[in-house]
Amino acid sequence: MYTPRWLLEFLVWLLLLLLHLQIIVVNGWNLRYITGLLMPFKQMIELQEIVWFISPELSMEHTDEADQFIRILGDFYGITQTVVHSNSSDMRMIRSAAKRNHMSIVFPTGPGDPIMDVVNKVLLGRHYYFIIFMLMDKIGEMESVYELCHFLYDYQYENSLIYFESTDGRNQLFGTNRYPVLQIENRTDILRFFKSKSKQILNGQDVEGFRFPTPLRQDPPHLFQVSGSYEGSTYRIIETFVRYVNGSFAELELPKDPLGGQVVNMRQILELVRRRRIEFSAHAYALFRSDDELDKSYPLLVVRWCLMVPLYNKVSTYLYAVQPFDAIVWFFVLGSFLALILLELLWLWLAVDNAGGAPIVALLNSFCYIINIATGRQLLQPSMLRFLLLIAVFFHGFFLSANYTSTLGSILTVNLFQSQLNTMEDLLQAQLPVMIIDYELDFLLELHSDLLPEFRSLLRPVDSAIYAQHQFGFNNSFAYFVTEDKWQFLNEQQRHLKQRQFKLSDICFGSFHLAYPMQMDSSLWRDLEYYTFRVHSSGLHNYYARISFEAALRARLVQRLTESQEFTSAGLQHLTIAFIFLGVMTTIAAIIFGFELFWTRILLNNRNTFIV
């Protein structure tokens, strides 16, 4: 069996530490004990920095002892040392070059010392690391030690030690264990403590049946209730992890939503995490930022936040004939037609032998060339210049007419499935209202303070329950903000339809990490990270995402949409435009024919008069 090198070094260090402690004579608060405790770390970890937190409330005697201790460790380690006071709280070790390889030592007078707030801020995101809190006064009553242990418990300093000297001259080490309940441990037998921690690192944390409180609300596809049990793509992942650490969930009841249901309100859940009422949320979420009180787990996915917009599948009964080409294409078609007419007229004006006999013939020939049909009069011996020109016009007319015919055939058989709304300009032009959850609107404005005023006027903030009612019902009176994973779930309702009702547009507002909201410095963060690695490598999330839709169907939260009779394929009514065009042209031809007859009769009358 392979044994990692770091584990061998760790065990060697424990042995050296044990031997070292056996030869040290400990007697009260003295440098020999605490120095002997910390010096073996040099053999196990290549530290880059030692951070000292010195309380301004220490007495002069304690300050001198701390100064001597700092010099001793500085000479021994030979690395950078940083001393932090109360006015240095802007420093963050998580942004330091030594964020992983540093040692922190705190000299407080008690749990109410101002330096403790500084420690919380400077070591934000690093509470899980090994930290020593050294009480400088001798301890007779253990109440102050217990209060400091409660502080370590509240702020997740689970791997830290409290050093103090009792009045009977004993040097002691205390710490806390978080699960299954608060346990104040005497860790003076440091060998035993590190053995248990090394076992926990190798085998994962065991919470010993702890029940994690968390709201369990309706939040498809992530979490929802089916026949008394809970399902969902991300819930199945976190629920498996909780069982892996030997725990379970305890549902935290919340008030009903404004519609009397159980739709999730993520603002409430994030606030519960900030207030430390829950360790983490069973609801995964993407649209929030970490801060000093709120963290997020290792991400499950990176999802885009975009608009889902309704598809307008109707085709005009009369104007469908111009839809195969865009306006710019029609512009070039008309331009080519006019250029050919001018060229034919030029040949006619130059009296070229192969030119048409009259301007009307030139007009008809140009039209035939453009639509790639035979002309009324064939050119038997065209000049070389005209021959090359007609070859170019032939290819132009062939591809143009072929493309037009095939696209028009698609319109007449299976309506075009394209949305007129795909960009911000399209949305503003259509003046389509955009529904958004109220607290997500705050997040949007925080990210994009430069949103167009015209777009802001289209936003309709609503409660999460009302939002879910409209979005899951595919109400096409609105566009909706949606994350990419949720869109894939919603799209399953219409995947089988010939004419879908919504699409995911290109109007997006960024990409975000889908993760579980957690307390800052949670002791479970690292275990959940390793578990998420396995979820990624095994494709577990994709599997749960596929089966979550079937579970939501059983819960009747979604449905497979049926074809709407509102949209039909082209029929005889769509040929009306052809008959209208035929009637108009016939009428125009009849009028022109009447004028020709009238003009011919006038000419004949004039001739007869002249002859007489």
Side-chain angles (χ1 to χ4, degrees), residues 494-520:
Q494 60 172 4
R495 188 175 295 276
H496 64 288
L497 297 182
K498 184 173 69 172
Q499 295 176 328
R500 301 187 181 185
Q501 299 180 20
F502 276 82
K503 68 163 286 186
L504 190 67
S505 72
D506 292 336
I507 308 172
C508 296
F509 300 88
S511 297
F512 305 93
H513 291 149
L514 178 66
Y516 301 101
M518 305 182 70
Q519 288 186 23
M520 180 57 70

PDB file of all heavy atoms in Angstrom, residues 494-520:
ATOM      1  N   GLN A 494     -40.708  21.538 -23.801  1.00  0.00           N
ATOM      2  CA  GLN A 494     -41.076  21.834 -25.177  1.00  0.00           C
ATOM      3  C   GLN A 494     -40.145  21.188 -26.197  1.00  0.00           C
ATOM      4  O   GLN A 494     -40.253  21.458 -27.400  1.00  0.00           O
ATOM      5  CB  GLN A 494     -41.054  23.351 -25.393  1.00  0.00           C
ATOM      6  CG  GLN A 494     -39.698  23.988 -25.139  1.00  0.00           C
ATOM      7  CD  GLN A 494     -39.626  25.441 -25.545  1.00  0.00           C
ATOM      8  OE1 GLN A 494     -40.618  26.028 -25.968  1.00  0.00           O
ATOM      9  NE2 GLN A 494     -38.447  26.031 -25.437  1.00  0.00           N
ATOM     10  N   ARG A 495     -39.250  20.307 -25.740  1.00  0.00           N
ATOM     11  CA  ARG A 495     -38.254  19.741 -26.642  1.00  0.00           C
ATOM     12  C   ARG A 495     -38.900  18.955 -27.778  1.00  0.00           C
ATOM     13  O   ARG A 495     -38.380  18.902 -28.892  1.00  0.00           O
ATOM     14  CB  ARG A 495     -37.286  18.853 -25.857  1.00  0.00           C
ATOM     15  CG  ARG A 495     -36.096  18.381 -26.670  1.00  0.00           C
ATOM     16  CD  ARG A 495     -35.124  17.603 -25.809  1.00  0.00           C
ATOM     17  NE  ARG A 495     -34.534  18.446 -24.787  1.00  0.00           N
ATOM     18  CZ  ARG A 495     -33.479  19.233 -24.994  1.00  0.00           C
ATOM     19  NH1 ARG A 495     -32.933  19.303 -26.187  1.00  0.00           N
ATOM     20  NH2 ARG A 495     -32.989  19.957 -24.020  1.00  0.00           N
ATOM     21  N   HIS A 496     -40.032  18.317 -27.519  1.00  0.00           N
ATOM     22  CA  HIS A 496     -40.673  17.479 -28.537  1.00  0.00           C
ATOM     23  C   HIS A 496     -41.588  18.266 -29.462  1.00  0.00           C
ATOM     24  O   HIS A 496     -42.134  17.717 -30.421  1.00  0.00           O
ATOM     25  CB  HIS A 496     -41.502  16.389 -27.848  1.00  0.00           C
ATOM     26  CG  HIS A 496     -42.636  16.945 -27.035  1.00  0.00           C
ATOM     27  ND1 HIS A 496     -42.423  17.607 -25.848  1.00  0.00           N
ATOM     28  CD2 HIS A 496     -43.977  16.974 -27.258  1.00  0.00           C
ATOM     29  CE1 HIS A 496     -43.589  17.997 -25.351  1.00  0.00           C
ATOM     30  NE2 HIS A 496     -44.543  17.636 -26.194  1.00  0.00           N
ATOM     31  N   LEU A 497     -41.808  19.550 -29.205  1.00  0.00           N
ATOM     32  CA  LEU A 497     -42.728  20.340 -30.008  1.00  0.00           C
ATOM     33  C   LEU A 497     -42.116  20.706 -31.362  1.00  0.00           C
ATOM     34  O   LEU A 497     -40.915  20.964 -31.464  1.00  0.00           O
ATOM     35  CB  LEU A 497     -43.108  21.631 -29.275  1.00  0.00           C
ATOM     36  CG  LEU A 497     -43.867  21.494 -27.952  1.00  0.00           C
ATOM     37  CD1 LEU A 497     -44.191  22.876 -27.405  1.00  0.00           C
ATOM     38  CD2 LEU A 497     -45.134  20.682 -28.132  1.00  0.00           C
ATOM     39  N   LYS A 498     -42.966  20.730 -32.383  1.00  0.00           N
ATOM     40  CA  LYS A 498     -42.508  21.189 -33.688  1.00  0.00           C
ATOM     41  C   LYS A 498     -42.292  22.699 -33.665  1.00  0.00           C
ATOM     42  O   LYS A 498     -41.371  23.220 -34.295  1.00  0.00           O
ATOM     43  CB  LYS A 498     -43.532  20.811 -34.758  1.00  0.00           C
ATOM     44  CG  LYS A 498     -43.092  21.172 -36.168  1.00  0.00           C
ATOM     45  CD  LYS A 498     -44.051  20.637 -37.220  1.00  0.00           C
ATOM     46  CE  LYS A 498     -45.378  21.353 -37.178  1.00  0.00           C
ATOM     47  NZ  LYS A 498     -46.258  20.972 -38.305  1.00  0.00           N
ATOM     48  N   GLN A 499     -43.134  23.373 -32.934  1.00  0.00           N
ATOM     49  CA  GLN A 499     -43.026  24.826 -32.799  1.00  0.00           C
ATOM     50  C   GLN A 499     -42.854  25.164 -31.329  1.00  0.00           C
ATOM     51  O   GLN A 499     -43.814  25.134 -30.559  1.00  0.00           O
ATOM     52  CB  GLN A 499     -44.276  25.510 -33.364  1.00  0.00           C
ATOM     53  CG  GLN A 499     -44.431  25.313 -34.860  1.00  0.00           C
ATOM     54  CD  GLN A 499     -45.717  25.910 -35.378  1.00  0.00           C
ATOM     55  OE1 GLN A 499     -46.712  25.947 -34.672  1.00  0.00           O
ATOM     56  NE2 GLN A 499     -45.704  26.362 -36.615  1.00  0.00           N
ATOM     57  N   ARG A 500     -41.616  25.441 -30.933  1.00  0.00           N
ATOM     58  CA  ARG A 500     -41.339  25.740 -29.536  1.00  0.00           C
ATOM     59  C   ARG A 500     -41.819  27.143 -29.184  1.00  0.00           C
ATOM     60  O   ARG A 500     -41.958  28.004 -30.046  1.00  0.00           O
ATOM     61  CB  ARG A 500     -39.855  25.581 -29.251  1.00  0.00           C
ATOM     62  CG  ARG A 500     -39.357  24.167 -29.550  1.00  0.00           C
ATOM     63  CD  ARG A 500     -37.941  23.965 -29.122  1.00  0.00           C
ATOM     64  NE  ARG A 500     -37.497  22.606 -29.445  1.00  0.00           N
ATOM     65  CZ  ARG A 500     -36.319  22.109 -29.098  1.00  0.00           C
ATOM     66  NH1 ARG A 500     -35.462  22.853 -28.414  1.00  0.00           N
ATOM     67  NH2 ARG A 500     -35.998  20.868 -29.416  1.00  0.00           N
ATOM     68  N   GLN A 501     -42.019  27.350 -27.891  1.00  0.00           N
ATOM     69  CA  GLN A 501     -42.612  28.601 -27.442  1.00  0.00           C
ATOM     70  C   GLN A 501     -41.586  29.600 -26.923  1.00  0.00           C
ATOM     71  O   GLN A 501     -41.841  30.805 -26.934  1.00  0.00           O
ATOM     72  CB  GLN A 501     -43.655  28.318 -26.349  1.00  0.00           C
ATOM     73  CG  GLN A 501     -44.789  27.435 -26.822  1.00  0.00           C
ATOM     74  CD  GLN A 501     -45.801  27.181 -25.727  1.00  0.00           C
ATOM     75  OE1 GLN A 501     -45.883  27.919 -24.747  1.00  0.00           O
ATOM     76  NE2 GLN A 501     -46.594  26.124 -25.874  1.00  0.00           N
ATOM     77  N   PHE A 502     -40.439  29.117 -26.424  1.00  0.00           N
ATOM     78  CA  PHE A 502     -39.395  30.001 -25.894  1.00  0.00           C
ATOM     79  C   PHE A 502     -38.036  29.537 -26.389  1.00  0.00           C
ATOM     80  O   PHE A 502     -37.861  28.370 -26.775  1.00  0.00           O
ATOM     81  CB  PHE A 502     -39.402  30.005 -24.362  1.00  0.00           C
ATOM     82  CG  PHE A 502     -40.395  30.947 -23.747  1.00  0.00           C
ATOM     83  CD1 PHE A 502     -41.723  30.577 -23.605  1.00  0.00           C
ATOM     84  CD2 PHE A 502     -40.012  32.205 -23.322  1.00  0.00           C
ATOM     85  CE1 PHE A 502     -42.650  31.439 -23.045  1.00  0.00           C
ATOM     86  CE2 PHE A 502     -40.922  33.082 -22.756  1.00  0.00           C
ATOM     87  CZ  PHE A 502     -42.247  32.697 -22.619  1.00  0.00           C
ATOM     88  N   LYS A 503     -37.096  30.442 -26.362  1.00  0.00           N
ATOM     89  CA  LYS A 503     -35.707  30.111 -26.659  1.00  0.00           C
ATOM     90  C   LYS A 503     -34.797  30.909 -25.732  1.00  0.00           C
ATOM     91  O   LYS A 503     -35.210  31.937 -25.166  1.00  0.00           O
ATOM     92  CB  LYS A 503     -35.362  30.405 -28.112  1.00  0.00           C
ATOM     93  CG  LYS A 503     -35.360  31.888 -28.456  1.00  0.00           C
ATOM     94  CD  LYS A 503     -34.619  32.177 -29.751  1.00  0.00           C
ATOM     95  CE  LYS A 503     -33.136  32.048 -29.559  1.00  0.00           C
ATOM     96  NZ  LYS A 503     -32.356  32.459 -30.733  1.00  0.00           N
ATOM     97  N   LEU A 504     -33.569  30.446 -25.584  1.00  0.00           N
ATOM     98  CA  LEU A 504     -32.556  31.174 -24.807  1.00  0.00           C
ATOM     99  C   LEU A 504     -31.879  32.155 -25.743  1.00  0.00           C
ATOM    100  O   LEU A 504     -31.258  31.762 -26.733  1.00  0.00           O
ATOM    101  CB  LEU A 504     -31.539  30.205 -24.209  1.00  0.00           C
ATOM    102  CG  LEU A 504     -30.570  30.794 -23.192  1.00  0.00           C
ATOM    103  CD1 LEU A 504     -31.322  31.216 -21.935  1.00  0.00           C
ATOM    104  CD2 LEU A 504     -29.485  29.798 -22.837  1.00  0.00           C
ATOM    105  N   SER A 505     -32.010  33.427 -25.445  1.00  0.00           N
ATOM    106  CA  SER A 505     -31.485  34.464 -26.336  1.00  0.00           C
ATOM    107  C   SER A 505     -29.999  34.686 -26.096  1.00  0.00           C
ATOM    108  O   SER A 505     -29.381  34.099 -25.197  1.00  0.00           O
ATOM    109  CB  SER A 505     -32.256  35.767 -26.115  1.00  0.00           C
ATOM    110  OG  SER A 505     -31.889  36.346 -24.865  1.00  0.00           O
ATOM    111  N   ASP A 506     -29.437  35.561 -26.909  1.00  0.00           N
ATOM    112  CA  ASP A 506     -28.030  35.959 -26.748  1.00  0.00           C
ATOM    113  C   ASP A 506     -27.876  37.146 -25.819  1.00  0.00           C
ATOM    114  O   ASP A 506     -26.779  37.712 -25.704  1.00  0.00           O
ATOM    115  CB  ASP A 506     -27.423  36.298 -28.108  1.00  0.00           C
ATOM    116  CG  ASP A 506     -27.275  35.071 -28.996  1.00  0.00           C
ATOM    117  OD1 ASP A 506     -27.206  33.966 -28.442  1.00  0.00           O
ATOM    118  OD2 ASP A 506     -27.250  35.220 -30.237  1.00  0.00           O
ATOM    119  N   ILE A 507     -28.949  37.540 -25.143  1.00  0.00           N
ATOM    120  CA  ILE A 507     -28.881  38.664 -24.196  1.00  0.00           C
ATOM    121  C   ILE A 507     -28.472  38.099 -22.838  1.00  0.00           C
ATOM    122  O   ILE A 507     -29.304  37.567 -22.103  1.00  0.00           O
ATOM    123  CB  ILE A 507     -30.234  39.384 -24.108  1.00  0.00           C
ATOM    124  CG1 ILE A 507     -30.754  39.763 -25.495  1.00  0.00           C
ATOM    125  CG2 ILE A 507     -30.134  40.624 -23.226  1.00  0.00           C
ATOM    126  CD1 ILE A 507     -32.163  40.295 -25.503  1.00  0.00           C
ATOM    127  N   CYS A 508     -27.209  38.168 -22.520  1.00  0.00           N
ATOM    128  CA  CYS A 508     -26.688  37.570 -21.288  1.00  0.00           C
ATOM    129  C   CYS A 508     -26.010  38.641 -20.439  1.00  0.00           C
ATOM    130  O   CYS A 508     -25.571  39.680 -20.943  1.00  0.00           O
ATOM    131  CB  CYS A 508     -25.702  36.446 -21.610  1.00  0.00           C
ATOM    132  SG  CYS A 508     -26.456  35.043 -22.480  1.00  0.00           S
ATOM    133  N   PHE A 509     -25.893  38.351 -19.149  1.00  0.00           N
ATOM    134  CA  PHE A 509     -25.386  39.334 -18.190  1.00  0.00           C
ATOM    135  C   PHE A 509     -24.226  38.790 -17.357  1.00  0.00           C
ATOM    136  O   PHE A 509     -23.940  39.304 -16.277  1.00  0.00           O
ATOM    137  CB  PHE A 509     -26.525  39.796 -17.281  1.00  0.00           C
ATOM    138  CG  PHE A 509     -27.659  40.436 -18.027  1.00  0.00           C
ATOM    139  CD1 PHE A 509     -28.694  39.656 -18.521  1.00  0.00           C
ATOM    140  CD2 PHE A 509     -27.677  41.793 -18.264  1.00  0.00           C
ATOM    141  CE1 PHE A 509     -29.736  40.231 -19.224  1.00  0.00           C
ATOM    142  CE2 PHE A 509     -28.707  42.382 -18.968  1.00  0.00           C
ATOM    143  CZ  PHE A 509     -29.742  41.595 -19.459  1.00  0.00           C
ATOM    144  N   GLY A 510     -23.569  37.756 -17.860  1.00  0.00           N
ATOM    145  CA  GLY A 510     -22.397  37.235 -17.169  1.00  0.00           C
ATOM    146  C   GLY A 510     -22.516  35.755 -16.885  1.00  0.00           C
ATOM    147  O   GLY A 510     -23.572  35.137 -17.042  1.00  0.00           O
ATOM    148  N   SER A 511     -21.403  35.175 -16.448  1.00  0.00           N
ATOM    149  CA  SER A 511     -21.335  33.765 -16.054  1.00  0.00           C
ATOM    150  C   SER A 511     -21.014  33.690 -14.570  1.00  0.00           C
ATOM    151  O   SER A 511     -20.187  34.457 -14.060  1.00  0.00           O
ATOM    152  CB  SER A 511     -20.271  33.025 -16.866  1.00  0.00           C
ATOM    153  OG  SER A 511     -20.593  33.031 -18.245  1.00  0.00           O
ATOM    154  N   PHE A 512     -21.637  32.729 -13.882  1.00  0.00           N
ATOM    155  CA  PHE A 512     -21.521  32.643 -12.432  1.00  0.00           C
ATOM    156  C   PHE A 512     -21.369  31.181 -12.004  1.00  0.00           C
ATOM    157  O   PHE A 512     -21.725  30.265 -12.742  1.00  0.00           O
ATOM    158  CB  PHE A 512     -22.761  33.265 -11.767  1.00  0.00           C
ATOM    159  CG  PHE A 512     -23.032  34.671 -12.196  1.00  0.00           C
ATOM    160  CD1 PHE A 512     -23.890  34.935 -13.256  1.00  0.00           C
ATOM    161  CD2 PHE A 512     -22.406  35.732 -11.572  1.00  0.00           C
ATOM    162  CE1 PHE A 512     -24.122  36.235 -13.671  1.00  0.00           C
ATOM    163  CE2 PHE A 512     -22.631  37.035 -11.976  1.00  0.00           C
ATOM    164  CZ  PHE A 512     -23.491  37.291 -13.032  1.00  0.00           C
ATOM    165  N   HIS A 513     -20.842  31.007 -10.796  1.00  0.00           N
ATOM    166  CA  HIS A 513     -20.621  29.674 -10.250  1.00  0.00           C
ATOM    167  C   HIS A 513     -21.875  29.182  -9.521  1.00  0.00           C
ATOM    168  O   HIS A 513     -22.364  29.846  -8.602  1.00  0.00           O
ATOM    169  CB  HIS A 513     -19.446  29.679  -9.265  1.00  0.00           C
ATOM    170  CG  HIS A 513     -18.126  29.911  -9.929  1.00  0.00           C
ATOM    171  ND1 HIS A 513     -17.074  30.546  -9.304  1.00  0.00           N
ATOM    172  CD2 HIS A 513     -17.685  29.592 -11.168  1.00  0.00           C
ATOM    173  CE1 HIS A 513     -16.050  30.607 -10.127  1.00  0.00           C
ATOM    174  NE2 HIS A 513     -16.394  30.026 -11.257  1.00  0.00           N
ATOM    175  N   LEU A 514     -22.378  28.043  -9.949  1.00  0.00           N
ATOM    176  CA  LEU A 514     -23.466  27.397  -9.222  1.00  0.00           C
ATOM    177  C   LEU A 514     -22.855  26.629  -8.054  1.00  0.00           C
ATOM    178  O   LEU A 514     -22.072  25.692  -8.259  1.00  0.00           O
ATOM    179  CB  LEU A 514     -24.240  26.455 -10.143  1.00  0.00           C
ATOM    180  CG  LEU A 514     -25.378  25.673  -9.500  1.00  0.00           C
ATOM    181  CD1 LEU A 514     -26.489  26.611  -9.042  1.00  0.00           C
ATOM    182  CD2 LEU A 514     -25.930  24.618 -10.448  1.00  0.00           C
ATOM    183  N   ALA A 515     -23.189  27.023  -6.828  1.00  0.00           N
ATOM    184  CA  ALA A 515     -22.555  26.447  -5.644  1.00  0.00           C
ATOM    185  C   ALA A 515     -23.531  26.511  -4.476  1.00  0.00           C
ATOM    186  O   ALA A 515     -24.616  27.090  -4.568  1.00  0.00           O
ATOM    187  CB  ALA A 515     -21.259  27.189  -5.302  1.00  0.00           C
ATOM    188  N   TYR A 516     -23.134  25.905  -3.360  1.00  0.00           N
ATOM    189  CA  TYR A 516     -23.953  25.906  -2.152  1.00  0.00           C
ATOM    190  C   TYR A 516     -23.509  27.054  -1.233  1.00  0.00           C
ATOM    191  O   TYR A 516     -22.321  27.142  -0.901  1.00  0.00           O
ATOM    192  CB  TYR A 516     -23.822  24.579  -1.400  1.00  0.00           C
ATOM    193  CG  TYR A 516     -24.239  23.383  -2.209  1.00  0.00           C
ATOM    194  CD1 TYR A 516     -23.291  22.558  -2.812  1.00  0.00           C
ATOM    195  CD2 TYR A 516     -25.580  23.067  -2.377  1.00  0.00           C
ATOM    196  CE1 TYR A 516     -23.665  21.456  -3.556  1.00  0.00           C
ATOM    197  CE2 TYR A 516     -25.973  21.963  -3.124  1.00  0.00           C
ATOM    198  CZ  TYR A 516     -25.006  21.167  -3.712  1.00  0.00           C
ATOM    199  OH  TYR A 516     -25.390  20.084  -4.463  1.00  0.00           O
ATOM    200  N   PRO A 517     -24.419  27.927  -0.829  1.00  0.00           N
ATOM    201  CA  PRO A 517     -24.047  28.956   0.147  1.00  0.00           C
ATOM    202  C   PRO A 517     -23.625  28.320   1.476  1.00  0.00           C
ATOM    203  O   PRO A 517     -24.305  27.433   1.987  1.00  0.00           O
ATOM    204  CB  PRO A 517     -25.345  29.763   0.307  1.00  0.00           C
ATOM    205  CG  PRO A 517     -26.148  29.478  -0.923  1.00  0.00           C
ATOM    206  CD  PRO A 517     -25.804  28.071  -1.301  1.00  0.00           C
ATOM    207  N   MET A 518     -22.501  28.765   2.026  1.00  0.00           N
ATOM    208  CA  MET A 518     -21.952  28.200   3.258  1.00  0.00           C
ATOM    209  C   MET A 518     -21.484  29.315   4.175  1.00  0.00           C
ATOM    210  O   MET A 518     -21.242  30.448   3.739  1.00  0.00           O
ATOM    211  CB  MET A 518     -20.760  27.274   2.965  1.00  0.00           C
ATOM    212  CG  MET A 518     -21.014  26.156   1.983  1.00  0.00           C
ATOM    213  SD  MET A 518     -19.570  25.095   1.772  1.00  0.00           S
ATOM    214  CE  MET A 518     -19.528  24.254   3.359  1.00  0.00           C
ATOM    215  N   GLN A 519     -21.360  28.966   5.443  1.00  0.00           N
ATOM    216  CA  GLN A 519     -20.718  29.892   6.370  1.00  0.00           C
ATOM    217  C   GLN A 519     -19.261  30.087   5.971  1.00  0.00           C
ATOM    218  O   GLN A 519     -18.599  29.162   5.475  1.00  0.00           O
ATOM    219  CB  GLN A 519     -20.780  29.354   7.799  1.00  0.00           C
ATOM    220  CG  GLN A 519     -22.141  29.390   8.448  1.00  0.00           C
ATOM    221  CD  GLN A 519     -22.070  28.964   9.909  1.00  0.00           C
ATOM    222  OE1 GLN A 519     -21.014  29.039  10.548  1.00  0.00           O
ATOM    223  NE2 GLN A 519     -23.201  28.516  10.442  1.00  0.00           N
ATOM    224  N   MET A 520     -18.771  31.287   6.169  1.00  0.00           N
ATOM    225  CA  MET A 520     -17.360  31.534   5.925  1.00  0.00           C
ATOM    226  C   MET A 520     -16.514  30.684   6.867  1.00  0.00           C
ATOM    227  O   MET A 520     -16.825  30.534   8.041  1.00  0.00           O
ATOM    228  CB  MET A 520     -17.057  33.023   6.127  1.00  0.00           C
ATOM    229  CG  MET A 520     -15.609  33.405   5.898  1.00  0.00           C
ATOM    230  SD  MET A 520     -14.996  32.980   4.262  1.00  0.00           S
ATOM    231  CE  MET A 520     -15.898  34.138   3.239  1.00  0.00           C
TER     232      MET A 520
END
